[in-house]
Amino acid sequence: MAATLIDGRAIAQEVRAEVARDVEAWAADGHPRPGLATVLVGDDPASAVYVAGKQKACREVGIEPFDHRLPHDAPHAEVEALLHELNDDPRVSGILLQLPTPPQVDGPALTELIRPDKDVDGLTPVSAGLLAKGRPGLRPCTPVGCLELLRRHDVALEGAEAVVIGRSDLVGKPIAALLLQANATVTVCHSRTRDLGEACRRADVLVAAVGRARMVRGDWVKPGAAVLDVGLTRTDDGLVGDLDFEPAAERAGLITPVPGGVGPMTIAMLLRNTLAAARVQTGAPERRGASVQPA
Ligand code: NAP
């Protein structure tokens, strides 16, 4: 393999250690500890695992977790009332509604009720608008995690050709906006893109966020490119990314594996967003590196 592997687990661990240190300093200054409220409706086992992981991660860095679980038949209005309560609770710096929700609960509509300064998932229309305008705000965790991986490997983004495959609100669009803000020249590809291979071959920075196992061929990778694989597909061979990894790694300069690449960054950035939200809510000056800064 010619490429250097980007070790997402190690970088996520570094970010978590930094957040833990910053939370201790924040508390030592007399501030209440940041708090993260998770809201889980129903008993979907995968969602329960995700929420438990977020709760555990909070405890490890000194963020206070608030674990709200509602039964699978909880009415929409009950979840809505809980979100309003959390919006008004000063102990809660960040709120996360775990999606998907059961059919009687309109999860995406409820997400929009989260106060923008507590929107640690960065998914409300206000957060998306702030990102689009390049103004301070909370950024979505996986996209900002991708930028952090590039930053920690000193990948030069200014003037670079960046290609993002995928245009979802959750991943593709925010990654493209963050790369644009970093002064890359950004192309966004999707299912109607005519010649995906040709677009990818131009990329100094290639981000695949599709969810189709091994669809990005090795010969689509420009020699020396930095390549991030956000895609996750469960197959008989285990968890697989969007890259045809081995041939891609023969040409790339830097590359993320799956698992252990982009994935671990998501919770690390959620923790960082929660601390950043607490700072903003108490009127503290924003800190460099917090994702409330234009990235
Ligand atoms: P999504 O909403 O399904 O979006 C997929 C995107 O890929 C769409 O924009 C779609 O284009 C595009 N696409 C589909 N087929 C294509 C093709 N043949 N050629 C080019 N583009 C194609 O998925 P998502 O939520 O963005 O997630 C993408 C992947 O990232 C998934 O595998 C997901 O599991 C993973 N993910 C990982 C993390 C993490 O690691 N922490 C976090 C979030 C998501 P159209 O818009 O034209 O349909």
Side-chain angles (χ1 to χ4, degrees):
M1 183 174 91
T4 300
L5 215 54
I6 298 179
D7 186 344
R9 285 198 187 103
I11 295 176
Q13 203 44 52
E14 278 170 33
V15 172
R16 285 173 181 233
E18 288 162 14
V19 174
R21 190 195 58 212
D22 289 354
V23 166
E24 285 322 307
W26 178 247
D29 280 348
H31 297 286
R33 285 183 179 277
L36 176 69
T38 53
V39 178
L40 175 62
V41 188
D43 37 28
D44 174 61
S47 294
V49 168
Y50 292 141
V51 166
K54 291 165 188 174
Q55 295 277 325
K56 179 166 173 272
C58 282
R59 284 190 289 274
E60 284 169 6
V61 300
I63 290 175
E64 196 176 348
F66 299 96
D67 188 359
H68 293 272
R69 289 173 191 242
L70 284 81
H72 71 278
D73 57 353
H76 180 93
E78 188 181 337
V79 189
E80 182 174 342
L82 173 60
L83 290 177
H84 286 306
E85 206 179 290
L86 297 172
N87 274 342
D88 293 340
D89 187 339
R91 297 169 307 159
V92 172
S93 325
I95 304 169
L96 195 152
L97 174 63
Q98 187 67 41
L99 299 176
T101 50
Q104 80 282 5
V105 174
D106 185 345
L110 286 174
T111 297
E112 296 192 7
L113 299 179
I114 294 172
R115 245 173 60 176
D117 63 344
K118 294 192 176 187
D119 174 25
V120 284
D121 254 349
L123 295 179
T124 62
V126 171
S127 297
L130 292 170
L131 171 57
K133 288 178 89 64
R135 287 182 24 203
L138 291 160
R139 308 306 195 210
C141 300
T142 304
V144 86
C146 287
L147 270 283
E148 190 67 24
L149 292 177
L150 296 173
R151 193 172 76 79
R152 297 212 180 208
H153 277 272
D154 294 321
V155 174
L157 294 176
E158 179 131 348
E161 289 281 346
V163 173
V164 181
I165 320 174
R167 57 172 165 179
S168 70
D169 290 347
L170 180 66
V171 191
K173 275 185 208 154
I175 290 178
L178 290 166
L179 288 166
L180 189 60
Q181 236 164 65
N183 294 321
T185 302
V186 183
T187 303
V188 181
C189 301
H190 45 78
S191 64
R192 316 291 165 86
T193 297
R194 270 202 209 110
D195 190 341
L196 189 57
E198 191 212 56
C200 292
R201 281 188 203 98
R202 288 202 305 269
D204 302 311
V205 176
L206 178 62
V207 184
V210 178
R212 288 169 68 104
R214 301 191 186 95
M215 70 164 282
V216 177
R217 291 168 27 179
D219 67 346
W220 294 3
V221 173
K222 179 175 173 179
V227 185
L228 302 183
D229 193 352
V230 186
L232 291 175
T233 307
R234 241 169 238 296
T235 70
D236 292 344
D237 304 337
L239 215 49
V240 172
D242 288 345
L243 300 177
D244 191 6
F245 183 80
E246 284 80 16
E250 282 308 318
R251 289 167 66 102
L254 281 169
I255 194 164
T256 56
V258 173
V262 172
M265 294 302 288
T266 302
I267 289 186
M269 303 322 285
L270 174 70
L271 300 172
R272 200 162 88 175
N273 272 356
T274 304
L275 173 60
R279 287 181 187 288
V280 168
Q281 285 155 31
T282 50
E286 291 157 19
R287 299 251 311 233
R288 200 185 156 276
S291 59
V292 290
Q293 296 279 21

